[in-house]
Amino acid sequence: MHKLETENITMNFGSETIIRDISISVDQGELVSLLGVSGSGKTTLFNCISGIYTPARGRVILDGEDITGTSGHISYMLQKDLLLPYKTIEDNVALPLVIRGVSRDEARKQASEHFEEFGLEGTQKKYPKQLSGGMRQRAALLRTYLFSDNVALLDEPFSALDTITKGRIHRWYLEVMERINLTTVFITHDINEAVLLSDRVYIMTGRPGEIKSEIIISTPRSERQNYDLTDEFMEYKRQIMGILDEEKKETRE
Amino acid sequence: MSKNKSKTNKIYPILSILIILALWECLCVFEVVPHYMLPSPAQVVEAFIKDFWLLMSHLKVTLLETLIGTLMGVVIGYGSAMLMDRWEPAYKAVYPIVVLTQTIPAVAIAPLLVLWFGYKMLPKIILIILITFFPIVVGTLDGFRSADQDAINLMRSMGASRWQIFKHIKFFQALPNFFSGLKITVAYAVVGAVLAEWLGGFAGLGVYMTRVKKSFAYDKMFAVIFLISFISLILIWLVSVLQKKCMPWEYAEVTKRKRDENKCVRN
């Protein structure tokens, strides 16, 4: 049984079909990327999975249970960290627990146990604006993790960061993922990021968005130090660019 | 901003006020303007000191009206804003009326209120409510509506209820607007109270004002005008203090050094 699965999800806005027949699956602890150009409906798919939208057709299945159109199961994280500026970092990351009904003190306590693991020690009492962009994304990731240690949806979480910070956070991210064993669906339009971080890459194209193909990155994540400099990495990258190019030609014809 | 800089910033307004006072004093001392038309600052201060206790007893009444009126105006204003944010029909039905109430000048309603509710405190409080609730409604509602939709969606994905979204996002989002509204409101409220007292009453700074006007005691007139300005300033300042207390995140220090420290923690 897959951890999370979507079955033929189709979503329309008015008369326009945004995504069509999307079927993807993620196993426990796996990191899967959705790669595609802007406008291919990746975010719409995320909103269907997280329960903000109810898809026109299809089902979302978590641990064998149909959760289509219901929220509160799967959290997501966006490019904007969406940390609330008026709450301290500890209250921000503890928010999902508070919403679930945990008392504030207990939520803070539970949250504080993870601060070190996420490289956030000493920031508990700070406000978001006192933190750097990279740190804020870590806090947002911790909040996502605390919401549900099952599955997290990450929508271009690192795309607003500068290249150097991004490189660092990628390395850190792989390291943390190794430890916390979070099942993750990751949206990106950055081919490097997709190959570097994922076990599998779904390539999404077109309007309406559909899954064009699936590529398995066979190098174990733990062996990806300086992976982006290897021939293997370049090979995957070429393959993906080939698929995206093909798609472009098709739409032109 | 460093302490020193904020001190020099204060010097300029104090200096300009002192210069104006000095010019004014000169105008009176050299009798450019006859003193029965314009009392000198020194005469105003003298009148203020002479009538100090009387002024304070009237001030007590005016302040009480202001306080009750503002408090009720704020509660009604905030409540209406919440209602209008929650139900679109309420917004469509109530908002035009709220705007309409503000197109009628206070000077026009005040005599009616006195006529209907007599010379006691009630008409004054009603007038203050009418004046104060508008800035609160408009500001707070704007604040509620400007809440980040992405943040609200994220809360929804976490399974948050409407009330939780209000408590964790909208409430805070509206605080700056609320306080801006409150600052305008407290200043208007004092003026509103005085205005209502003018038109009839037994005590209050407005009543004192009409009495000294009738006896042509312009030095006392100026004394009470300054007292009203001063009280308004104090109230605005109090709101600022309250705002700082309620919004500590606005004033949290961000230093470059701290940022760099944070970056270094792990990398």
Side-chain angles (χ1 to χ4, degrees), chain B residues 105-172:
Chain B
V107 209
I109 321 174
L112 287 177
L113 292 175
V114 173
L115 182 72
W116 294 333
F117 302 106
Y119 291 119
K120 291 215 175 117
M121 223 178 234
L122 188 63
K124 283 118 193 163
I125 289 174
I126 293 176
L127 187 72
I128 294 170
I129 293 174
L130 283 175
I131 292 172
T132 54
F133 96 122
F134 184 71
I136 299 287
V137 174
V138 176
T140 311
L141 190 63
D142 272 355
F144 288 156
R145 299 200 153 200
S146 71
D148 187 346
Q149 195 55 44
D150 287 330
I152 291 175
N153 277 344
L154 181 70
M155 294 275 289
R156 281 205 189 119
S157 83
M158 293 173 180
S161 64
R162 263 176 194 277
W163 170 243
Q164 283 174 320
I165 288 173
F166 177 82
K167 200 170 72 173
H168 292 293
I169 294 186
K170 290 190 168 180
F171 171 77
F172 289 101

Side-chain angles (χ1 to χ4, degrees), chain A residues 167-184:
Chain A
R168 271 186 205 153
I169 211 156
H170 280 159
R171 254 172 281 147
W172 168 81
Y173 183 73
L174 281 171
E175 205 185 296
V176 160
M177 281 304 165
E178 206 56 38
R179 265 178 286 145
I180 63 179
N181 192 31
L182 184 66
T183 308
T184 311

Side-chain angles (χ1 to χ4, degrees), chain B residues 1-10 251 253-255:
Chain B
M1 197 191 293
S2 71
K3 272 223 162 117
N4 259 336
K5 199 164 177 199
S6 76
K7 253 183 207 160
T8 47
N9 278 347
K10 271 180 197 154
Y251 306 93
E253 238 179 277
V254 185
T255 59

Side-chain angles (χ1 to χ4, degrees), chain A residues 52 71-72 74 76 80 82 84-87 95-96 98-99 116-117 119 121 126-127 129-132 135 138 143 147 168, chain B residues 148 150-151 153-160 164 168-169 172-173 248-254 258-259 262-263 265-267:
Chain A
I52 290 178
S71 56
I74 297 170
Y76 61 85
K80 284 199 279 181
L82 294 180
L84 305 177
Y86 31 77
K87 287 185 187 287
L95 191 61
V98 172
I99 287 174
E116 205 187 326
E117 190 165 31
E121 54 269 57
K126 291 210 164 101
Y127 289 102
K129 70 171 184 186
Q130 295 172 294
L131 263 55
S132 64
M135 293 293 278
R138 289 178 188 197
R143 180 185 57 195
F147 172 73
R168 271 186 205 153
Chain B
D148 187 346
D150 287 330
N153 277 344
L154 181 70
M155 294 275 289
R156 281 205 189 119
S157 83
M158 293 173 180
Q164 283 174 320
H168 292 293
I169 294 186
F172 289 101
Q173 198 74 41
W249 61 91
E250 281 288 316
Y251 306 93
E253 238 179 277
V254 185
K258 252 182 202 147
R259 275 193 177 199
N262 287 342
K263 273 187 199 161
V265 172
R266 249 291 142 87
N267 295 324

